[in-house]
Amino acid sequence: MAEQSLFVKEGSDFAYQRGTAAEEEGEGFRVSVYRHFESNLRIVLCHIPRPLYSLNIYVPTVSSNDKGLPHTLEHLIFCGSQRHPSRGYLDALANCNLSTGTNAWTSSDHTCYTLSTASEEALANVLPVYLDHVLHPLLKDEQFVTEVYHYDITGKEQGVVFSEMVARENGEDDLFGINLDRLMFAHNSPYTFMSGGQTAAIAQLSNAEIIEYHRKYYDANNVTVVITGALSDEFVNVLQRLPRDIVQSAGHSSRAPIDCSLPPADQPRSKHVPFPSVATDTGSIGFGWRGPPSSDAEAVIAIEMLLEYLVDNSSSPLKQRFVERTSPLASDVAAEVTGTVPSTVILHFSGVPHPSSDDPESEGSGDDESDRDDASEGEEEEEDPDIPRLFEEGYFERLLADELQRIHDSRFDGDDQAMQKLAERFRHSLALDMENKPDDLIQEMICIDIVNAHFLPLNQEASFSIGSRANLFDIIDRLASRPVSYWLGVLKTWLIDAPVYY
């Protein structure tokens, strides 16, 4: 009797569009999905004719505190596995197989382990060892002490993870991100905790907690492997030859809805967050809105296109209003739609002039010309009545709301074709990305589907599904044909009428 195949093909192949004329000849990037015959471990093969092969191992992970469990575990994964207990063996093997080594990142709702290599054979050599490290790490107490937290001989707190977060937790970017998330989500939501950890909480973490976290989230049932490259049809045999004990599930599943509820109605929607900085004369102001589910590809892409219209270049409306002016109200403005389970829409104004109560460099400089220049600059700032008030409660918000309303009322400055023109540029830019770095773009799109399949409440009874953005360019073309009234509705629904947090 023939032995059961380790992986069975799931569903039919599909293709990610390239955004070029090649689509007419059926030359998109073909994708096949294989599922472990007993568990929900899936391996996704995406055929991309490029010299490099990429391997991403996705583990949906969330936090219920600020101890940084997903982040600390990410570090410990590379310290050795059951089959290969020597620290550094995985990277040494990767380097011997035409790779620059392994890497990983931790986000609020997933952890990803990555590898790039230059041959299919090299990928086949590293894959089982990498999976063994992810699914069966040693997690020894002495590794925890070195990698996570300990006191050195002088009594100073140390640890690779602890030291990393010391350098990060009071930085502008991290403070901006976590504080905005805590305004937009209910306090028990995973998105309100620091997945990287906060130092005070890391100091209370134990290795036993990490072992339990791994047991819950790192079961084969919860893992999806995505491989891209010029894969031969025979590569599926590599999957069938994986050691059975490595990819065997222990029966644990973390697939469940996560709390994405709104914050209480009486919770403040804004917060002033001081942070250490060499520059005391500028700060940043960020705004966030709750967007549509990230599984709703068309709605998300429509907002991404609208944001590009608002901030893409120096002639864009928000750049003109706040940046490209005699007395700038910001040095730059950036926008994004995050891939969280319910997406969030972010506008971030950086280099916003901040009134400094005392500037030690402004007194006794002994440089008359410099003093005159400073005085001249001060006079220019005083000429704009907005600048001294930008950090007053609600002031910048009103300026932004007025500008968004003006864009709406003027119907995109009287240009009913504005979004159609933008759609053409947007499509061209994505087509270039799909040509130059298709593996990165496709990995990003698949990651969104993996997280949604795992944590989105509506998907808990549905089968695993990826490819919501496979027809990305068809979606853009549909949106390009929409009338101006549609785009005014997008602007009004998601930015003007929706609650804003800042």
Side-chain angles (χ1 to χ4, degrees), residues 30-308:
R30 179 167 59 90
V31 176
S32 306
V33 180
Y34 292 86
R35 181 179 57 80
H36 188 273
F37 79 102
E38 284 185 330
S39 73
N40 287 319
L41 170 64
R42 288 174 173 86
I43 298 182
V44 181
L45 305 181
C46 184
H47 302 265
I48 299 177
R50 285 174 63 80
L52 290 180
Y53 297 75
S54 72
L55 163 66
N56 283 23
I57 303 174
Y58 294 98
V59 187
T61 54
V62 292
S63 300
S64 58
N65 53 53
D66 290 317
K67 293 183 176 181
L69 279 160
H71 183 209
T72 54
L73 181 51
E74 173 213 310
H75 279 251
L76 291 168
I77 289 296
F78 296 101
C79 293
S81 68
Q82 299 294 336
R83 283 179 172 237
H84 309 282
S86 298
R87 182 189 179 115
Y89 177 80
L90 175 60
D91 277 322
L93 177 66
N95 291 333
C96 290
N97 281 274
L98 308 175
S99 171
T100 56
T102 59
N103 208 343
W105 75 77
T106 301
S107 182
S108 297
D109 50 24
H110 69 276
T111 304
C112 181
Y113 300 87
T114 67
L115 172 81
S116 291
T117 187
S119 83
E120 184 174 297
E121 181 182 0
L123 186 63
N125 291 337
V126 179
L127 178 59
V129 179
Y130 211 158
L131 283 172
D132 189 44
H133 277 71
V134 171
L135 295 172
H136 307 285
L138 293 176
L139 302 182
K140 292 183 176 180
D141 288 345
E142 54 267 33
Q143 294 171 341
F144 172 86
V145 170
T146 302
E147 199 71 21
V148 182
Y149 182 77
H150 65 274
Y151 286 96
D152 67 13
I153 196 169
T154 66
K156 184 178 179 181
E157 293 174 297
Q158 295 285 7
V160 176
V161 174
F162 182 85
S163 299
E164 178 186 340
M165 296 316 298
V166 165
R168 283 183 47 189
E169 67 181 359
N170 290 313
E172 180 179 2
D173 291 343
D174 281 57
L175 286 173
F176 167 75
I178 189 61
N179 281 283
L180 192 57
D181 283 342
R182 286 172 177 171
L183 290 173
M184 290 192 289
F185 291 91
H187 73 279
N188 283 328
S189 170
Y191 294 116
T192 64
F193 298 107
M194 287 281 286
S195 60
Q198 292 188 311
T199 52
I202 292 172
Q204 306 301 317
L205 182 61
S206 70
N207 197 38
E209 291 175 274
I210 294 175
I211 292 171
E212 173 59 24
Y213 190 87
H214 183 275
R215 185 195 67 81
K216 178 177 180 180
Y217 288 99
Y218 278 66
D219 189 278
N221 262 327
N222 306 318
V223 174
T224 302
V225 180
V226 181
I227 299 172
T228 69
L231 300 166
S232 67
D233 289 337
E234 288 71 39
F235 187 79
V236 68
N237 295 327
V238 173
L239 311 185
Q240 306 298 2
R241 292 195 298 268
L242 286 170
R244 289 180 173 251
D245 60 317
I246 289 180
V247 294
Q248 187 71 32
S249 168
H252 304 298
S253 175
S254 59
R255 190 184 187 199
I258 57 174
D259 184 1
C260 300
S261 54
L262 290 164
D266 58 352
Q267 175 180 295
R269 290 195 285 116
S270 65
K271 184 176 182 181
H272 181 267
V273 182
F275 65 94
S277 174
V278 174
T280 60
D281 57 347
T282 60
S284 63
I285 300 178
F287 298 89
W289 295 262
R290 290 284 293 263
S294 56
S295 57
D296 187 345
E298 183 168 307
V300 169
I301 292 168
I303 298 173
E304 289 175 341
M305 292 170 67
L306 177 64
L307 292 180
E308 185 143 336

Side-chain angles (χ1 to χ4, degrees), residues 399-419:
L399 296 180
L400 176 60
D402 289 346
E403 178 61 15
L404 294 175
Q405 189 65 54
R406 184 201 67 77
I407 295 167
H408 179 275
D409 294 345
S410 68
R411 297 171 64 90
F412 300 103
D413 290 316
D415 185 358
D416 283 1
Q417 302 301 312
M419 291 306 299

